[in-house]
Amino acid sequence: MSAVLDFVRPRLAGWHEVGHVPADDWRALAGLVPIGTRDLREVDRVLSCLVETRDVGLAGAFAINEIGARLLDRARATDLLPAVEAGEVRLAVALTERASGSDLGAMSTHVQPGDPPTLLGTKSYIANGSVADVHLVAARAGDGGASLPLIDLYRVDRADVHTADLGGAGARLMRLADIRLDGAPAPPERRIGRAGRGFSYLTEVLLFERAIIGCLGVHVGRVLLQDLGAHLSERTVFGTRLDRHGHHRLRLGAWWAEQRNLAAAARAVVDGVGAGCASWQDVYAIKLGAAAFVRKLAVEMQHVGGADAWVKGGSWTHAVDDVRWLGIAGGASEVLQDRLAQDALEGTG
């Protein structure tokens, strides 16, 4: 995919100035990489390439778009997919709310009856929220009895929402935004999939999302580790190269082993999702492990980078900010850890 990197690298600085990939460039990128494939193996291959730019947000923006495409596919709402695949439409999945996170049973966004029905509520921390052409919005459609409300999914165009960029939150080129729905039209023809089936669609797609975020974290860890090793080999302190210090060598060796284990686990998850047999425990484990790994490497890059690395910019300067969202994307790490802890206590893992 050298053509992809040749296209992206000279444009990155300009994209950073505006905070996103402009629409014309996104369409051009769609001619170079498969967009909207819904195939995790293909998505993983593209992510592996995009992280070579050292811009986590670019890879993240692509990943979020793929998650939206998967949701449309699972709900059999495929009429929009050709425009997504051509780069004409960018997607955002509007699920999370500030008070309830990704807890579907506690969401407050709802469908207000009327002619036509409308959506009322606010979604928060929405990746691609400020640049998406179409938002895929989850909303309460009534009381489903038992323990969960009925959930419907709606296609909402950019013109029908109010977005507020969250400033420093998120990664470069993949900013987070709040999405306010003050009467966005929600007629039946804008509903995605069957009425009341939103929960089942989202449950499947959330597993796909967490697998993607885990794979992205593994690839980011790989390039951070490469950069860290290169810096240790180049920098000399008190007459000795840093890679000759036993302390750094032992840590680097341990991290290299950890990265290889994560990569092997990620490949198994990709194959499992492709075959329809991935366990949620394995997906959660790779997502949590990768997020913790890249956070650790980013902090280490700060410690050994020195002033020169910060002045030069690039992956060193933005590493901590760019990777921190991996810990909350697809559900906060603490929530996933709690699920795994319960599984461990019950001995069902």
Side-chain angles (χ1 to χ4, degrees):
M1 288 193 170
S2 59
V4 178
L5 299 180
D6 290 341
F7 173 79
V8 169
R9 282 171 172 154
R11 292 170 173 81
L12 271 179
W15 294 350
H16 290 154
E17 287 182 7
V18 297
H20 63 273
V21 180
D24 288 344
D25 287 339
W26 186 261
R27 283 192 290 271
L29 190 61
L32 298 172
V33 301
I35 288 179
T37 69
R38 290 91 71 195
D39 182 342
L40 185 56
R41 295 183 183 92
E42 196 64 33
V43 173
D44 184 58
R45 186 174 71 89
V46 176
L47 291 176
S48 178
C49 170
L50 292 179
V51 297
E52 294 293 337
T53 66
R54 272 53 178 179
D55 194 292
V56 179
L58 174 61
F62 168 81
I64 295 301
N65 200 70
E66 297 307 294
I67 293 162
R70 177 83 168 203
L71 182 56
L72 289 172
D73 181 69
R74 285 298 177 266
R76 293 182 171 81
T78 56
D79 59 308
L80 192 59
L81 287 176
V84 173
E85 293 165 358
E88 298 289 340
V89 168
R90 279 181 283 189
L91 302 172
V93 179
L95 167 62
T96 306
E97 296 183 5
R98 197 172 294 272
S100 58
S102 55
D103 181 353
L104 298 177
M107 76 165 59
S108 61
T109 299
H110 62 280
V111 180
Q112 181 74 24
D115 187 18
T118 55
L119 294 171
L120 295 176
T122 299
K123 299 296 186 178
S124 296
Y125 318 119
I126 306 304
N128 285 355
S130 57
V131 300
D133 302 292
V134 173
H135 300 268
L136 309 180
V137 178
R140 298 172 69 105
D143 184 4
S147 59
L148 288 172
L150 292 174
I151 303 294
D152 277 345
L153 300 174
Y154 287 90
R155 165 186 168 172
V156 181
D157 294 337
R158 182 193 298 179
D160 294 324
V161 302
H162 304 277
T163 63
D165 190 88
L166 295 180
R172 295 174 300 163
L173 302 185
M174 193 217 66
R175 312 299 288 183
L176 303 184
D178 281 351
I179 308 299
R180 197 170 79 251
L181 302 151
D182 289 338
E189 60 267 23
R190 285 188 170 262
R191 187 173 57 230
I192 299 169
R194 294 171 57 187
R197 293 293 301 276
F199 179 81
S200 62
Y201 299 141
L202 287 167
T203 299
E204 192 276 339
V205 170
L206 278 173
L207 193 70
F208 181 77
E209 175 185 15
R210 287 158 180 164
I212 284 183
I213 299 302
C215 291
L216 174 56
V218 169
H219 293 309
V220 171
R222 170 175 54 80
V223 297
L224 288 179
L225 193 59
Q226 290 172 355
D227 288 351
L228 181 60
H231 181 73
L232 293 175
S233 299
E234 295 167 0
R235 191 173 183 206
T236 298
V237 176
F238 300 122
T240 304
R241 274 184 10 201
L242 288 181
D243 67 333
R244 304 287 176 83
H245 285 272
H247 168 74
H248 291 303
R249 291 180 67 86
L250 292 176
R251 285 159 65 87
L252 195 63
W255 290 333
W256 184 253
E258 185 175 356
Q259 196 279 328
R260 289 181 65 85
N261 287 334
L262 285 170
R267 286 193 295 272
V269 162
V270 168
D271 291 341
V273 170
C277 60
S279 73
W280 67 265
Q281 293 96 331
D282 289 342
V283 172
Y284 283 22
I286 193 64
K287 194 248 184 207
L288 288 168
F293 183 61
V294 297
R295 189 164 55 246
K296 180 166 52 181
L297 291 182
V299 170
E300 183 68 13
M301 290 171 74
Q302 279 189 323
H303 289 166
V304 304
D308 189 51
W310 286 96
V311 171
K312 287 179 180 178
S315 59
W316 291 88
T317 303
H318 300 282
V320 174
D321 285 341
D322 278 357
V323 306
R324 62 180 178 171
W325 74 273
L326 289 170
I328 62 171
S333 292
E334 292 79 5
V335 174
L336 305 190
Q337 287 171 333
D338 183 72
R339 287 289 309 279
L340 288 174
Q342 185 63 36
D343 195 56
L345 290 170
E346 293 173 355
T348 57

